[in-house]
């Protein structure tokens, strides 16, 4: 064991007679865990006003290409509970019981270094907590009768605001959402504009908005058609949603739909996008063109969300 104790690569390993203050995990039949699971997450425990958990990789953290070592980490149990733009600084120590000597191997960052836990980095610890060869040698006392005991102490030193910021998350292989809007008795529409029923795309609510006699540059001679972000309750002032969308009017006679495509950053201050001159009324009203048949028309929206920017 003497070779383990000391300071190396910014990590201090020492021996303590005192058990961990905040949490301990006893693992029985460790060999079965090692054979059947890449990692194990403990239950939540509280320290310093926050909830934490231990994360154990019995064969090393494969995401970091760790081999021949056990990896052990401390993580915030619910990082989303940290207020946006805030971080929690903590000093922590991870424990491993030597069952032969009834004391603990204690692993911590050298010189009591603080680690900053926040939404983007909720987990800190040690890729090479202990060599598997040392751990599994029963003469060292860490794994006896296929049982081991791990533990943690967490001391929150401060929390602070990191200031304003945002995170942009681009979406790989996004799904395309479609919604069809049927309008009957078009000739009797008397209001300035009409909204479709709301529909959901990627967790956000949308609607189409039609001005049957046009608006702005399309007033009196065009249909005006827009895509509108319908519900702003899920957005902060800094939130933005990058959307590819297509608005279409179905050709009921020839199946040759008329459409227009655009992309737009939707936000609380820019919640609609579309065309004041979507389609000339003279074309739309002509029965031979198939847009308006028996005073009925169909509009369609295709919405693909490609990125979301949100406040940190």
């Amino acid at each position: 064991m003497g070779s383990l104790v000391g300071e190396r690569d910014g990590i201090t390993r020492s021996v303590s007679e005192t058990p961990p203050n905040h949490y301990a995990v006893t693992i029985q039949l460790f060999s079965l865990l090692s054979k059947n699971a890449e990692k194990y997450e403990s239950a939540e425990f509280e320290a310093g006003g926050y909830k934490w958990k231990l994360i154990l990789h019995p064969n090393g953290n494969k995401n970091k290409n760790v081999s021949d070592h056990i990896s052990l980490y401390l993580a915030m149990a619910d990082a989303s509970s940290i207020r946006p733009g805030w971080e929690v600084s903590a000093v922590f120590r991870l424990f491993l019981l030597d069952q032969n000597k009834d004391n603990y191997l204690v692993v911590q960052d050298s010189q009591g270094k603080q680690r900053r836990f926040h939404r983007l980095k909720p987990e800190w610890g040690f890729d090479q907590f202990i060599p598997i060869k040392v751990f599994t040698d029963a003469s060292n006392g860490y794994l006896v009768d296929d049982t081991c005991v791990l533990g943690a102490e967490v001391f929150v030193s401060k929390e602070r605001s990191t200031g304003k910021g945002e995170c942009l998350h681009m979406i790989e292989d996004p799904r395309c959402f479609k919604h069809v809007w049927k309008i009957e008795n078009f000739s009797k529409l008397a209001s300035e504009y009409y909204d479709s029923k709301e529909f959901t795309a990627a967790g956000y609510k949308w609607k189409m908005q039609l001005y049957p006699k046009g608006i702005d540059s399309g007033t009196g001679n065009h249909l005006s058609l827009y895509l509108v972000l319908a519900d702003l309750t899920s957005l902060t002032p800094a939130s933005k949603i990058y959307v590819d969308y297509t608005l279409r009017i179905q050709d009921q006679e020839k199946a040759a739909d008329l459409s227009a495509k655009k992309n737009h950053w939707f936000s609380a201050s820019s919640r609609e996008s579309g065309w004041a001159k979507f389609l000339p009324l003279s074309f739309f009203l002509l029965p031979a063109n198939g847009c308006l048949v028996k005073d009925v028309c169909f509009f369609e929206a295709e919405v693909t969300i490609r990125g979301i920017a949100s406040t940190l």
Side-chain angles (χ1 to χ4, degrees):
M1 166 163 173
S3 61
L4 283 180
V5 175
E7 183 176 330
R8 182 180 178 186
D9 298 328
I11 298 172
T12 298
R13 290 176 170 84
S14 59
V15 174
S16 173
E17 303 294 331
T18 308
N21 274 329
H22 293 132
Y23 203 66
V25 180
T26 299
I27 300 176
Q28 298 177 329
L29 295 178
F30 183 91
S31 59
L32 288 181
L33 175 69
S34 176
K35 184 182 297 184
N36 294 296
E38 285 193 6
K39 71 175 181 178
Y40 174 74
E41 296 187 6
S42 76
E44 298 178 5
F45 63 94
E46 189 167 331
Y50 293 91
K51 291 184 177 180
W52 309 85
K53 61 184 176 181
L54 287 172
I55 300 177
L56 169 71
H57 297 256
N59 298 299
N61 188 345
K62 303 308 179 188
N63 292 330
K64 295 187 176 182
N65 296 317
V66 179
S67 60
D68 303 323
H69 284 76
I70 288 173
S71 301
L72 185 63
Y73 305 94
L74 174 73
M76 299 202 80
D78 183 11
S80 63
S81 67
I82 302 178
R83 286 176 288 174
W86 282 72
E87 64 185 24
V88 175
S89 295
V91 176
F92 65 93
R93 309 197 303 166
L94 302 183
F95 291 66
L96 177 60
L97 176 63
D98 181 341
Q99 299 170 63
N100 293 340
K101 298 179 180 178
D102 195 29
N103 59 24
Y104 291 85
L105 173 68
V106 181
V107 183
Q108 64 187 117
D109 290 303
S110 297
Q111 299 176 346
K113 183 176 182 179
Q114 296 180 357
R115 291 297 189 181
R116 298 183 298 115
F117 294 82
H118 49 85
R119 287 190 176 192
L120 295 182
K121 180 63 175 175
E123 176 182 311
W124 287 97
F126 307 102
D127 298 335
Q128 298 182 345
F129 179 72
I130 188 172
I132 292 175
K133 186 175 181 180
V134 173
F135 174 77
T136 55
D137 186 341
S139 66
N140 290 324
Y142 302 127
L143 187 67
V144 177
D145 295 330
D146 212 11
T147 298
C148 66
V149 179
L150 302 164
E153 289 181 346
V154 188
F155 303 97
V156 174
S157 54
K158 63 181 178 180
E159 63 174 19
R160 70 181 184 94
S161 171
T162 59
K164 295 181 179 179
E166 66 180 65
C167 174
L168 172 61
H169 171 65
M170 298 304 293
I171 299 171
E172 188 175 6
D173 300 324
R175 176 185 167 190
C176 177
F177 296 84
K178 295 184 180 182
H179 181 73
V180 176
W181 180 19
K182 179 181 180 181
I183 298 179
E184 299 176 308
N185 301 314
F186 181 88
S187 63
K188 297 180 181 178
L189 299 183
S191 297
E192 180 188 8
Y193 69 90
Y194 292 84
D195 290 337
S196 73
K197 289 184 179 179
E198 294 182 2
F199 60 96
T200 300
Y204 296 92
K205 291 183 178 180
W206 308 85
K207 62 184 178 183
M208 284 179 276
Q209 192 168 82
L210 172 70
Y211 292 79
K213 293 182 172 59
I215 192 175
D216 296 334
S217 61
T219 301
N221 50 35
H222 280 76
L223 290 178
S224 301
L225 187 62
Y226 297 88
L227 177 67
V228 180
L229 181 58
D231 182 10
L232 301 181
T233 57
S234 58
L235 295 182
T236 65
S239 296
K240 299 185 290 287
I241 307 169
Y242 184 54
V243 177
D244 280 346
Y245 71 93
T246 299
L247 298 183
R248 176 180 295 110
I249 184 165
Q250 294 181 0
D251 182 342
Q252 301 174 62
E253 299 291 342
K254 308 168 189 173
D257 300 340
L258 299 167
S259 63
K261 186 175 182 179
K262 189 182 285 190
N263 51 57
H264 184 71
W265 285 97
F266 286 86
S267 66
S269 60
S270 182
R271 58 184 301 194
E272 66 179 43
S273 176
W275 293 267
K277 293 183 175 181
F278 180 74
L279 191 69
L281 277 170
S282 57
F283 184 94
F284 172 79
L285 295 172
L286 195 63
N289 292 326
C291 299
L292 188 65
V293 176
K294 296 180 181 178
D295 217 16
V296 175
C297 55
F298 295 87
F299 293 95
E300 181 177 318
E302 291 184 2
V303 179
T304 303
I305 296 179
R306 297 199 173 273
I308 299 171
S310 56
T311 303
L312 284 175

